[in-house]
Amino acid sequence: MTSINPASDFPENQPRAEGSKGQVLIVDDEANARNALAELMDDAGYSVSTAADGRTALLQMEQVDPDVVLTDLKMPGMDGLSLIERGRPMSPHSTFIVMTAFATIDTAVQAIKLGAESYLTKPLELDTVIAIVDRALERTRLSREAAQLRQRMDDRFHFNNILGEHPSMQRLMKNIAQVARSRATVLIHGETGTGKELIAAAIHQNSKRKDKPFIRLNCASLSETLLESELFGHERGSFTGAMARREGRFKQADGGTLFLDEVSEIPMSVQIKLLRFLQEREFERVGGNETLKVDVRVVAATNRNLKQRVEDGRFREDLYYRLKVVQLDVPPLRVRRSDIPLLAHAFLRKYAAENDRSVQGLSEEALQHLMIYPWPGNVRELENAVERAVVMCEGDLIDRDDLPTSAHGDLQNGSVMALIPGVTMSELERIAILRTLDAVDGSTARAAEILGISQRKIQYRVKEWGYQSATID
Ligand SMILES: Nc1ncnc2c1ncn2[C@@H]1O[C@H](COP(=O)(O)OP(=O)(O)OP(=O)(O)O)[C@@H](O)[C@H]1O
Ligand SMILES: [Mg+2]
């Protein structure tokens, strides 16, 4: 362990160096302590700025947006507590750490209440300082990342709670918006767990019918007789157990939307009645003669290949064409892998809040596993995996071990190749640039040489992605 000795004056404001571990602001009125710590942190690979009091620190923060602020508590003028109070809203992602002598631990506790992450007791020990600062940097990184994701989501085209930035999802959402306004029957096709029901609900929510009922029926869950009666209603005594007249889902959905899930499972005898409704907008209750007319928009979903069913003689061709006036294909998660971080973070926030856990994010390794796993159960499987991880997780980061073992992708083959198909060219460009920069300690000149593109292009991209320093973890 190295203890900290007085040293010569440290320059007040050092710009963030390429390849530095992160930007640290040291605030202490005692010049010796401040300079010594600054020298040591500088040697340890951080970009360091310094300030002798809270007011100067605030000015510094405006210029450098530090990742971590290490502040003394007692200082003339503006003290450490006021600095935290004023500085936090200004630099919401900065992590504050207070440095305090044993005698003032009470004040340190107060500082934590104001939003400081932790405290260090003086005299400082370098190893402890570095460990705590590194943890703080990780926290800052996660906080910035989450804010960036939120920002990106706000900028994009999106519906209620359907998340997805991948071009295939963006196009799907555009189609949803267009089709929602019409009255056209919609067939949503996609593997299990891809979000078909969510999309059906979004179509309803974004239509003129939104204040009318959204009624859902799973066509696979009922016997032939019950399904028919459930859809169209029945007259009293129309079959054993039909004690009274009952209205069906079509009637309940009048003015609104009827969502027919697993539509491929409708038996032939019921298919013809559904076809008639789609053609004539009318039907009779089971066992009745009265013809009912309702205004219902039908949205159907299937995870089967309906066309194949038609060829196999199990689904009426005329009904097939009536249903797919508009067909929406929901891509499986494995061909839009670049949406995985977005979805994982959203589910993480949701389940952390629901379970009252303070989980902040995912470790790099955990995220890599999620990225390359093929997700046969699609978004639902991912959601379940993240929910479980939030509950299992002991620290504030979800780690690989918190994920179900089934979701452990093969990291051995976890090369960029494992992400294809599923990521866009610009995503690949991003990965290539960031990984290369990482391998050459952030030198854009060397990265440019390796990648065979101009240094300016790299700098431009890195800036565009919002990274302030060229080191990427
Ligand atoms: N793009 C998305 N953004 C956010 N959450 C999603 C998305 N897609 C699916 N989900 C979530 O995943 C889960 C499964 O979605 P949903 O029930 O709509 O899938 P489905 O296609 O109807 O599945 P199944 O074929 O098994 O019925 C839900 O909890 C849903 O909220
Ligand atoms: Mg469903």
Side-chain angles (χ1 to χ4, degrees), residues 4 6 8 22 24 33 56 93 96 123 198 200 263 304 314 347 366 469:
I4 292 170
S8 55
V24 179
T56 320
H93 305 299
F96 290 83
L198 210 56
V263 74
R304 301 293 170 105
R314 297 171 67 184
F347 294 140
S469 82

Side-chain angles (χ1 to χ4, degrees), residues 193 196-197 216 259 261-262 301 380:
K196 296 186 292 297
E197 186 161 348
R216 154 180 198 285
F259 174 51
D261 205 359
E262 304 206 44
R380 179 184 294 112

Side-chain angles (χ1 to χ4, degrees), residues 269-316:
S269 65
V270 185
Q271 285 180 27
I272 188 146
K273 293 206 156 185
L274 178 58
L275 175 69
R276 172 156 169 247
F277 173 81
L278 291 176
Q279 281 170 344
E280 326 279 346
R281 302 278 150 192
E282 57 184 43
F283 61 91
E284 283 94 36
R285 296 188 192 93
V286 176
N289 303 317
E290 189 191 345
T291 300
L292 304 177
K293 270 195 173 296
V294 290
D295 170 24
V296 170
R297 181 211 208 146
V298 173
V299 176
T302 182
N303 53 25
R304 301 293 170 105
N305 183 342
L306 264 193
K307 194 152 185 279
Q308 187 59 49
R309 294 234 149 187
V310 171
E311 278 161 25
D312 296 346
R314 297 171 67 184
F315 204 84
R316 297 183 63 104

